């Protein structure tokens, strides 16, 4: 049954063409009956329910998602959810079509929010990559000085300097993130990192 639904979507039969009006659906009582039969595992009834409502639900999803291909995917998710949860439909709380439309709208909104969250994560990651600015002192310390010497050199820093330097160049955090983690103004965090690196450079004997 689920494979048949997927085939319908990929061939375009589950979505109306631009400007095409949805096909007339079944009555409210008929849809409620199809949902009840679907809840008992009647795949034939579920196929009828899909045929009667898929264009209407796809149209709603498209208005929210605004991407035809993604809207078809979301519409299939809606019907998978309906197949799994059809037993929860309660005619006393509203019509079958209203219940279906509520699921479609919620699923579409969730997809939009998920896509936006993923895009924000990607943008934030790209921004962090741009902000990371390992200077020559840090590179020299990592590349040419063994860990024991670095630890001894770090011990010569003040606690404030050491915390900032370790977060920035051992933890890989940006200056902005260091400031947030240490609850400092950004300028103060940068100053501690700079002063710590100067002292570290002098201790390690790294040329300026």
């Amino acid at each position: 049954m689920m494979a048949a639904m997927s085939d319908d979507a990929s061939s375009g039969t589950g979505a109306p063409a631009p400007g095409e009006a949805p096909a007339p659906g079944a009555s409210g009582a008929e849809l409620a009956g199809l949902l009840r039969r679907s809840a008992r595992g009647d795949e034939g009834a579920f196929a009828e329910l899909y045929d009667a409502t898929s264009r209407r639900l796809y149209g709603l999803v498209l208005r929210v998602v605004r991407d035809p291909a993604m809207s078809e995917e979301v519409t299939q998710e809606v019907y998978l959810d309906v197949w799994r949860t059809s037993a929860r439909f309660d005619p006393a709380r509203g019509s079958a079509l209203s219940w279906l439309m509520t699921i479609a709208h919620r699923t579409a909104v969730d997809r939009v929010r998920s896509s936006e969250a993923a895009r924000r994560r990607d943008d934030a990651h790209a921004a962090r990559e741009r902000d990371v600015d390992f200077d020559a002192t840090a590179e020299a310390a990592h590349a040419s000085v063994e860990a024991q010497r670095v630890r001894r050199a770090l011990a010569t820093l003040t606690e404030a300097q050491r915390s900032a330097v370790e977060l920035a160049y051992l933890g890989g955090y940006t200056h902005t993130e260091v400031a947030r983690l240490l609850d400092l103004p950004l300028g103060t965090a940068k100053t501690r990192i700079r002063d710590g690196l100067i002292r570290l450079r002098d201790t390690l004997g790294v040329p300026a």
Side-chain angles (χ1 to χ4, degrees):
M1 181 61 217
M2 297 299 105
M5 278 176 49
S6 181
D7 291 342
D8 285 346
S10 62
S11 64
T13 58
E20 179 184 349
S27 68
E30 289 171 331
L31 292 179
L34 292 173
L35 273 173
R36 285 193 296 271
R37 288 164 57 193
S38 297
R40 295 194 294 268
D42 187 332
E43 293 187 355
F46 187 71
E48 290 182 43
L49 179 72
Y50 180 84
D51 290 341
T53 60
S54 60
R55 290 174 182 269
R56 183 85 172 264
L57 267 60
Y58 172 84
L60 171 62
V61 170
L62 182 60
R63 287 196 294 274
V64 176
V65 176
R66 299 183 181 278
D67 177 87
M70 186 181 293
S71 295
E72 288 192 1
E73 293 178 5
V74 173
T75 301
Q76 295 308 299
E77 291 179 17
V78 170
Y79 281 98
L80 287 171
D81 192 18
V82 170
W83 174 252
R84 289 191 298 263
T85 64
S86 52
R88 299 179 188 173
F89 169 64
D90 181 359
R93 300 180 64 181
S95 70
L97 183 59
S98 175
W99 187 74
L100 293 169
M101 297 286 275
T102 298
I103 294 175
H105 185 266
R106 182 187 66 232
T107 306
V109 170
D110 287 347
R111 173 63 71 91
V112 170
R113 288 175 176 169
S114 177
S115 296
E116 290 177 348
R119 185 166 55 252
R120 284 196 298 270
R121 286 195 298 270
D122 290 343
D123 291 345
H125 177 72
R128 285 196 299 271
E129 290 297 313
R130 289 193 299 270
D131 288 342
V132 174
D133 182 21
F134 290 96
D135 62 18
T137 300
E139 291 178 352
H142 281 291
S144 63
V145 182
E146 66 274 14
Q148 188 173 4
R149 287 188 62 209
V150 172
R151 284 196 295 270
R152 285 201 299 265
L154 285 170
T156 68
L157 305 181
T158 66
E159 181 64 30
Q161 292 171 343
R162 184 165 60 252
S163 296
V165 170
E166 286 179 342
L167 286 171
Y169 295 105
L170 299 182
Y173 292 99
T174 66
H175 291 177
T176 300
E177 290 170 329
V178 171
R180 185 169 62 251
L181 289 168
L182 297 179
D183 195 21
L184 296 171
L186 179 58
T188 301
K190 288 183 176 180
T191 298
R192 289 186 182 181
I193 293 170
R194 184 197 63 216
D195 292 348
L197 287 174
I198 291 172
R199 188 167 183 176
L200 187 63
R201 181 196 65 201
D202 293 343
T203 302
L204 293 172
V206 178

